[in-house]
Amino acid sequence: MRIIVHDNYEALSKWTAYTIAQEILSYHPSADRPFVLGIPAGQSPIGTFQQLVSLNQQGTVSFEHVVVFGLNEFVGIPQDHPQSHYSVLWNNFFSRIDIVPDNVHLLEGNAPNFGQQCEAFESEIAALGGMHVFLGSIAPDGHIGFNEPGSSLSSRTRIKTLAHGARAANAHWFGNDINKVPKTGLTMGLATIMDAKKVIVLISGFSKARALQRIVETEINHMWTVSMLQLHRQGMIVCDDDATMELKVGTVKYFKDIEKDHLALPEL
């Protein structure tokens, strides 16, 4: 597992966007051979999306032959609800790039049969050969998507009851009123994420520092679900200095030393 430590959120966002763009460009996607990308909604990836939009609008990278799968969605709210992950992703990302709408696959919170939808979602990913890159972020308790503490590390896309932690992490989308946050959601499973060829997890700010410490310096534990990244052959955490505040000084120095030559923006 690689740990890339940047000075601040802006730097980690730009570096991550350039890294994803480099992956797309080096793959040389086509209509018959698309690049497959998994992405979350939420606040952490917004900076990365903004940088990718800029690269697209500059003509540096195209999303015409990129297929995207969304990480999760709330149950019981329509797609056009301003707080749905559908709306967040379309407003902040998809509507601003040259992606083909049919290449966007998002879970639907009002689907008639959630079980069938989740199975179809898994089948669609598998039919494309899996995700080339999955981009994720975490909550302060170390969960990803709606895979909250206690989730099975072998879980697949499914409906999930949302505990207080996940609802609190998403309350900012609902006027900071946790009572307005839906109590169930749909999410990719941890095994689904781990099947991606490369996994990049964004961790920014002091509020995520305890989670980063548990994920990096302790054992794999289903109570800190992103600790699964320790088992991934191309797992990467991209964080800022504030997020490292709970790590041992030696741990931070070690990763800064071995990655110091990789902090420059990838060439595009």
Side-chain angles (χ1 to χ4, degrees), residues 73-87 109-110:
E73 182 58 278
F74 293 112
V75 166
I77 61 176
Q79 289 184 330
D80 60 357
H81 190 288
Q83 280 73 44
S84 72
H85 289 193
Y86 180 97
S87 291
N110 280 317

Side-chain angles (χ1 to χ4, degrees), residues 146-203:
F146 291 145
N147 296 289
E148 297 183 294
S151 294
S152 169
L153 300 182
S154 63
S155 58
R156 293 289 176 181
T157 304
R158 67 205 187 283
I159 188 169
K160 188 76 173 61
T161 300
L162 306 184
H164 182 86
R167 296 175 68 220
N170 285 280
H172 63 275
W173 297 115
F174 295 85
N176 290 316
D177 185 352
I178 193 172
N179 294 314
K180 294 181 180 178
V181 182
K183 296 182 178 181
T184 53
L186 301 167
T187 186
M188 283 187 193
L190 296 172
T192 311
I193 294 168
M194 287 289 284
D195 281 347
K197 295 174 179 63
K198 177 174 287 188
V199 176
I200 302 173
V201 175
L202 306 176
I203 303 180

Side-chain angles (χ1 to χ4, degrees), residues 113-171:
N113 188 310
F114 293 129
Q116 289 181 3
Q117 179 188 197
C118 292
E119 290 179 7
F121 196 75
E122 288 280 337
S123 296
E124 290 167 347
I125 296 173
L128 291 166
M131 293 179 283
H132 294 99
V133 172
F134 172 83
L135 174 68
S137 59
I138 69 167
D141 63 2
H143 79 257
I144 188 167
F146 291 145
N147 296 289
E148 297 183 294
S151 294
S152 169
L153 300 182
S154 63
S155 58
R156 293 289 176 181
T157 304
R158 67 205 187 283
I159 188 169
K160 188 76 173 61
T161 300
L162 306 184
H164 182 86
R167 296 175 68 220
N170 285 280

